Amino acid sequence: MHPRKPRLPFANAWFFPAAALYAAVMLPVSVLGMLGLMPTLPGLATPGGHAHEMLFGFALAVVAGYLLGPQPRAITLALLVAWALARIAFLLWPGSLPAILMAGTFAAGLVWRVVPRFLGAAKKWRNQSVAPLVTGLALASTLGGLGASTGAWLRGEALLLLAALMFFMGGRIIAPALAGHAQQQGWRLDARVQPRVEGTVLILLGTALVLGLLPWELPERVGGACLVAAGLLTGMRLLRWRPWRCLNRPDLLVLLAGYAWLAVGLLAMGVPTSLGSPVPSALLHALTVGALGTLTFTVMGRTRLIQRWRDPNARRWIHPFAAFISLAALARIVPALLGAATTGWLLLAAAAWSVAFLALTTLFWHLRGDDRRLDPGD
């Protein structure tokens, strides 16, 4: 009888701590630099650089950690080094050839290890949609450091790609978790994945993405209407999950909060676009901070806790810190809409965000020091 082959370590054991620490440090450093309160790195000297690192630095690291799954340690570390070098190159020499080459190296490695798994194993087109989403993000991250106008356009497209990924992957995490909770509580959740809603929203977001490639106003406004419809359907999907029946499960509540931010963010982006108006930058934070921040925070913590103890509430103290991310989003959105002075609110938002991700970094540090119940090498 042959001995069982050792299980490969999960890539998220490396990528999640790196992403959490980078989020905790990068955002406040960026804000303080743009406000002139401290020297800043060239890559973070503008709002465009700040957004670039939120999407292609932080968010793409979380995507990599979640979708790579088990990998040989050498491959995980090689990809992590490529990601780190891409960050250093962009921060010091944004738009340079080294920055583009390192971003492309990491992106190519991510596509190489992730895309074939979804194209080969997934049978339904909705499951296969992960492959083009990751490929699009990889391409946008490679080219996102080019000229200001090109970079802004690519960041907008990347945000839609991330919104689609959050919608799909978030739903696939929330639906079975809520169904399991319902069964434990003695009731049945009939609306789970909701495949028709899922498919419709993916088509709407894909349509908005394609229409955003066209340089004319009418297609752009139609794309905005698609985002509005996608936001309404996302909210409907959320309500059909009956979130009020899991008030005793903080791990589920923070997931649902992130999904609610996703619905709000799609509406905030879609309504002005459908009316032919530019989207106020403050409203974009419903997606980039509220949805992206809350969902990545929650999924990273939940994934590692389940892998270690098979219990997402094994360290319940981490869940309330997700509220700091919602505070950060509100501190960016509400004052701007009211025309209030922004410096103090910007500092509050940066501090709240940093507190949340420093707490998550602390959780990951404790996990590595606790009794190991994962395979050696994780």
Side-chain angles (χ1 to χ4, degrees):
M1 184 176 180
H2 297 289
R4 189 177 68 174
K5 187 177 180 180
R7 189 175 66 182
L8 294 173
F10 284 94
N12 60 46
W14 297 90
F15 270 97
F16 283 177
L21 182 60
Y22 191 64
V25 173
M26 180 275 297
L27 191 140
V29 167
S30 174
V31 170
L32 290 172
M34 286 188 291
L35 291 175
L37 298 177
M38 65 174 290
T40 189
L41 296 168
L44 297 179
T46 65
H50 168 92
H52 181 280
E53 286 306 283
M54 276 286 291
L55 298 176
F56 303 131
F58 163 65
L60 201 56
V62 179
V63 170
Y66 189 76
L67 294 180
L68 281 168
Q71 295 285 339
R73 186 199 298 268
I75 289 178
T76 296
L77 292 180
L79 288 172
L80 185 64
V81 168
W83 173 82
L85 291 176
R87 308 283 56 79
I88 294 171
F90 180 83
L91 292 175
L92 297 179
W93 310 288
S96 66
L97 182 60
I100 295 171
L101 288 177
M102 291 314 307
T105 300
F106 173 63
L110 182 61
V111 170
W112 168 51
R113 301 303 294 184
V114 170
V115 168
R117 291 173 50 209
F118 287 92
L119 287 180
K123 297 180 180 179
K124 297 180 179 179
W125 72 266
R126 288 176 286 115
N127 299 334
Q128 292 179 349
S129 66
V130 173
L133 292 176
V134 172
T135 303
L137 280 171
L139 181 61
S141 70
T142 303
L143 302 177
L146 296 176
S149 59
T150 301
W153 171 69
L154 284 170
R155 288 191 297 271
E157 294 293 283
L159 186 55
L160 290 182
L161 290 167
L162 283 169
L165 202 56
M166 287 188 287
F167 172 81
F168 178 76
M169 300 304 299
R172 292 305 178 92
I173 294 170
I174 293 172
L178 286 174
H181 170 70
Q183 186 175 13
Q184 292 174 356
Q185 298 297 310
W187 57 280
R188 177 181 174 83
L189 178 66
D190 294 319
R192 300 186 182 188
V193 172
Q194 305 173 50
R196 292 183 179 179
V197 174
E198 182 180 77
T200 302
V201 171
L202 288 175
I203 291 171
L204 288 168
L205 292 176
T207 302
L209 185 70
V210 172
L211 292 176
L213 301 174
L214 303 177
W216 304 297
E217 181 181 351
L218 181 59
E220 185 178 16
R221 296 180 68 168
V222 174
C226 290
L227 293 180
V228 172
L232 292 173
L233 286 173
T234 301
M236 184 187 77
R237 189 188 201 193
L238 176 65
L239 292 175
R240 292 179 69 186
W241 281 329
R242 295 189 272 181
W244 52 87
R245 301 201 65 169
C246 57
L247 298 179
N248 61 335
R249 285 287 301 272
D251 62 309
L252 298 180
L253 289 177
V254 291
L255 273 173
L256 293 165
Y259 219 71
W261 272 115
L262 177 59
V264 171
L266 290 173
L267 290 171
M269 192 174 181
V271 169
T273 304
S274 66
L275 297 175
S277 303
V279 182
S281 60
L283 291 184
L284 290 177
H285 289 82
L287 274 178
T288 57
V289 176
L292 182 62
T294 304
L295 286 173
T296 53
F297 174 94
T298 306
V299 168
M300 284 194 288
R302 179 184 182 85
T303 299
R304 294 299 293 155
L305 289 170
I306 290 176
Q307 287 173 352
R308 185 58 57 95
W309 287 293
R310 300 182 184 276
D311 180 8
N313 288 302
R315 295 293 181 268
R316 297 174 70 93
W317 60 265
I318 191 61
H319 302 308
F321 281 96
F324 282 86
I325 302 176
S326 289
L327 173 61
L330 291 172
R332 289 295 288 116
I333 296 169
V334 175
L337 294 179
L338 297 178
T342 59
T343 299
W345 291 104
L346 274 171
L347 293 174
L348 174 61
W353 171 279
S354 188
V355 165
F357 282 97
L358 283 175
L360 188 61
T361 304
T362 302
L363 172 68
F364 293 148
W365 179 264
H366 288 165
L367 285 176
R368 296 195 69 83
D370 284 337
D371 180 34
R372 292 180 178 271
R373 292 179 60 184
L374 297 177
D375 292 328
D378 183 65

